[in-house]
Structure formats: C-alpha cells, structure tokens
C-alpha cells in the first residue's frame, strides 16, 4: 500500500486505521531501536495473530520499520519508511506466522549489524500502548512509556538489593520491576521502570556493582 501523506497512516490524532496496528507498531520498533542503541543494518520481522492477517493493509510493516529508523508516531517521514530503509541499505524482511500468540497483535523483531544483534517480542494492547514481553529470550513486561533500566546480571543473592539501594540513594522511585532468568544461578535480567530521569552517572555506578554484566537504559 502506498501512502501519499502522513495523515493517510496517522490521521489527525492517532495512527489509522488502527492505533493498535500502526501507532503501537511504531512504538515497538522504536523501543527495539533504543535498546539496540543504533540503526540496525538488517531486520527480520515476524507477525502473529491479527498482525499477521492485516499487516500490509493496516501499514503495520511500515510502522515497525519507521520505529526501527528512529521515527516517532508524529514524524512526517513515517509513510515512506520502507523506501527510506532501502535507501539507507537496511535489509528488511517480513513473515506472517501461523503460531497462535498469547496476544493477537504480536510482533517478533530480530535486528542486528556487524557488531551484534537483538531479539524482542512486543504486543500492541490498544490506544497506541505496547508491552515488550520478551528480550533476547528473557520474559519481561516493559511498557516503553517510562524511563527504564535493563540490567543483565549473574543470578546471585544480594544483587537485586544492591541495585535498589543505588536507586534509593539517588532518590529514584521504582514504578515497576521484574526479574527473569532462564536457569537458576545463571544469567538473569532485571527490567525496572522508574519515575525519574536516568543519568549516565547512575548507569556507571550500577555497572560497578558485583555480578552486574551489562546495564542499558531506555529513555521515555
């Protein structure tokens, strides 16, 4: 489908024809881009449920690629995201999967470049709101609407308390927190949404804690 104007896909208030299929999809792509930290050179995007059935007609493919390029829902370049991706040598492919997801509007994104890759599963829950429910094989629940910390760490006692203590010392309030692990005593992932901005000094302090492998921030 070709879009002549940003309002063909966004509309005057929200992305159309469905905020779940377009505005939400932009935000899923944008969260993946922010977590990856740079523009990927390739993306493999799989759609499930309703997304799989209607992604072309509703512009979900355009929307997710726009997010990966760093465009927000109000960006006037959004309708041309697929063309821009080609011009910028971003290799993008789509697939419609038959597996039945837990939520009808589900997308799995694998993105990467020569330096690394990232895999993320996001769902669009309506009204342009999303949840990230899996990151590199770890289950989590991340809204993408608040500043967030993603902390990869060794599964050892005291690690979660140490992180919480650093946040408390800097007067940062935790709004939502989840911890996921694949196996006891191995690597685990903390996902922490907070109410205050996240500074580079905070990230540096967290990185110095015992058992911390990697710290990434997602800025609202």
């Amino acid at each position: 489908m070709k879009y002549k104007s940003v309002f063909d896909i966004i509309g005057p208030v929200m992305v159309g024809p469905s905020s779940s299929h377009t505005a939400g999809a932009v935000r899923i792509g944008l969260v993946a881009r922010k977590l990856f930290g740079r523009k990927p050179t390739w993306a493999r995007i799989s759609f499930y449920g309703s997304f799989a059935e209607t992604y072309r007609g509703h512009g979900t493919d355009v929307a997710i690629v726009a997010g990966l390029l760093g465009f927000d829902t109000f960006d006037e370049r959004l309708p041309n995201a697929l063309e821009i991706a080609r011009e910028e040598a971003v290799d993008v492919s789509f697939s419609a999967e038959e597996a039945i997801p837990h939520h009808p509007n589900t997308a799995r994104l694998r993105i990467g470049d020569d330096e690394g890759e990232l895999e993320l599963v996001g769902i669009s829950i309506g009204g342009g709101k999303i949840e990230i429910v899996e990151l590199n094989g770890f289950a989590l629940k991340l809204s993408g609407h608040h500043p967030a910390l993603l902390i990869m760490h060794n599964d050892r006692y005291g690690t979660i308390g140490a992180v919480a203590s650093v946040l408390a010392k800097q007067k940062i309030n935790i709004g939502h927190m989840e911890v996921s692990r694949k196996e006891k005593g191995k690597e685990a992932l903390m996902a922490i949404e907070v109410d205050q901005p996240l500074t580079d000094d905070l990230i540096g302090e967290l990185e110095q804690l015992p058992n911390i492998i990697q710290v990434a921030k997602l800025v609202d």
Side-chain angles (χ1 to χ4, degrees), residues 1-3 8-9 15-18 21-22 47 50-62:
M1 178 179 288
K2 299 294 183 181
Y3 301 95
D8 291 339
I9 186 168
V15 176
S18 163
H21 285 235
T22 45
F47 294 115
S50 180
F51 269 2
E53 297 171 0
T54 63
Y55 74 89
R56 289 191 180 93
H58 283 186
T60 310
D61 51 351
V62 176

Side-chain angles (χ1 to χ4, degrees), residues 25-135:
V26 172
R27 293 191 171 109
I28 291 171
L30 192 57
V31 168
R33 165 65 182 262
K34 289 178 178 179
L35 290 175
F36 192 58
R38 56 195 181 274
K39 181 178 67 179
T41 58
W42 56 266
R44 305 292 176 259
I45 301 166
S46 301
F47 294 115
Y48 299 82
S50 180
F51 269 2
E53 297 171 0
T54 63
Y55 74 89
R56 289 191 180 93
H58 283 186
T60 310
D61 51 351
V62 176
I64 280 201
V65 172
L68 290 176
L69 293 174
F71 304 163
D72 211 330
T73 54
F74 50 78
D75 197 304
E76 294 184 356
R77 298 169 294 176
L78 194 155
N80 301 312
L82 296 181
E83 291 82 357
I84 294 171
R86 283 193 289 269
E87 291 169 1
E88 297 185 0
V90 180
D91 178 23
V92 180
S93 65
F94 304 97
S95 63
E97 305 294 335
E98 295 182 359
I100 299 174
H102 293 297
H103 190 280
N105 299 329
T106 298
R108 179 180 296 273
L109 284 63
R110 287 185 56 240
I111 62 175
D113 59 15
D114 291 339
E115 298 180 13
E117 62 181 79
L118 175 147
E119 185 171 1
L120 172 152
V121 177
I123 60 175
S124 182
I125 59 177
K129 295 182 179 180
I130 67 167
E131 289 181 0
I132 305 304
V133 297
E134 184 180 313
L135 178 65

